[in-house]
Amino acid sequence: MNPLGFAAAAALGNIVGALAVVRHLRRGLSFIDACLAFGAGFMLAVTVLGVMPQVLDGSPGAALYVLIGYFAVHVAQHVFTPHFHFGEETHWVSPAAGRSALLGLMLHTFFDGVAIASGFLVSGRLGILLFLAVLLHKLPEGVTIASVMVAGGWSRGRAVGAAAVLGGATVLGVLLTEQIAPLARHGLALSAGVTLYVAASNLVPEFQAKRGWLTALAFVGGAAGFFLTELLLQGWLH
Ligand SMILES: [Zn+2]
Ligand SMILES: [Zn+2]
């Protein structure tokens, strides 16, 4: 399967998350919620251990693009959107909030695709690791956009459509990475900043208030999952 196939599979995660919201699949939603901490730990480990050494290898200056990627997501989610946070929207929001949340999330989901494509440009192993990191948060991402649309009074069809648009932005990210020169050069560094933001600043706050060892174990377990996956890929790809 090529990077485009992986991006399409990840994009499907957005739609599945949205369907869980509009079909009121409570069990599915609590499963997605339970996987959040694991996904965050996995993403963090892929970024810090898998991507960062690759980004800095031979070009320490590339660290600047990591920072730019991080701040770009923050600006997109906080300046242009009146109300946005990750996780299921459970209170009323204005109809405009749904539309602006979609816009705010599009930059991030575009870079989900850039991350996958840039990973595959380095190696199949890094590409698959980044695909998994993206896939693991695609479900909560679909839940986020669909629930904020529904809470803003949009129809269920529109809510699933919005999730499909986010998935489409990810596919577009893969398609454009090699076409746009700055993306081909700095895509991996920029998307490392984006992934860092999504893991540490979008996902972690979702379970920040939870006490006890279970969530903490899932979070650290996500990082352990990275080591395990890398081990499996080493055996499988060579
Ligand atoms: Zn809210
Ligand atoms: Zn994403």
Side-chain angles (χ1 to χ4, degrees):
M1 199 150 74
N2 60 7
L4 207 57
F6 282 103
L12 216 58
N14 280 152
I15 295 171
V16 171
L19 285 174
V21 170
V22 300
R23 299 229 167 136
H24 306 288
L25 305 174
R26 284 329 312 179
R27 265 218 208 121
L29 286 170
S30 35
F31 174 74
I32 291 171
D33 199 44
C35 293
L36 213 78
F38 180 88
F42 187 87
M43 279 184 95
L44 212 52
V46 169
T47 309
V48 174
L49 302 173
V51 178
M52 284 306 286
Q54 205 69 51
V55 165
L56 299 176
D57 189 33
S59 56
L64 177 67
Y65 292 94
V66 179
L67 201 62
I68 290 173
Y70 186 94
F71 281 122
V73 185
H74 184 87
V75 170
Q77 290 184 3
H78 289 78
V79 175
F80 307 116
T81 58
H83 179 92
F84 178 76
H85 52 83
F86 232 73
E88 193 182 0
E89 194 66 74
T90 48
H91 55 88
W92 183 88
V93 296
S94 74
R99 203 183 302 120
S100 62
L102 179 62
L103 272 174
L105 267 174
M106 266 164 85
L107 179 87
H108 146 193
T109 49
F110 177 78
F111 272 95
D112 284 342
V114 174
I116 293 173
S118 310
F120 275 104
L121 286 177
V122 174
S123 67
R125 188 184 56 86
L126 194 62
I128 291 175
L129 282 167
L130 277 163
F131 157 71
L132 289 172
V134 167
L135 181 68
L136 278 171
H137 82 275
K138 277 292 187 195
L139 293 167
E141 201 171 275
V143 169
T144 302
I145 191 62
S147 62
V148 78
M149 296 289 288
V150 168
W154 295 90
S155 72
R156 300 196 289 179
R158 285 276 175 91
V160 177
V165 168
L166 289 185
T170 300
V171 173
L172 196 67
V174 167
L175 286 173
L176 292 185
T177 297
E178 279 188 272
Q179 313 301 322
I180 301 174
L183 274 186
R185 274 191 71 189
H186 304 296
L188 194 65
L190 286 167
S191 60
V194 172
T195 313
L196 208 55
Y197 191 91
V198 175
S201 303
N202 275 149
L203 297 178
V204 170
E206 276 301 296
F207 56 88
Q208 193 77 282
K210 286 185 185 168
R211 297 284 157 228
W213 56 269
L214 205 65
T215 309
L217 196 71
F219 187 35
V220 179
F226 162 79
F227 286 106
L228 197 69
T229 310
E230 218 188 17
L231 217 69
L232 285 173
L233 288 176
Q234 260 168 20
W236 182 42
L237 293 175
H238 288 287

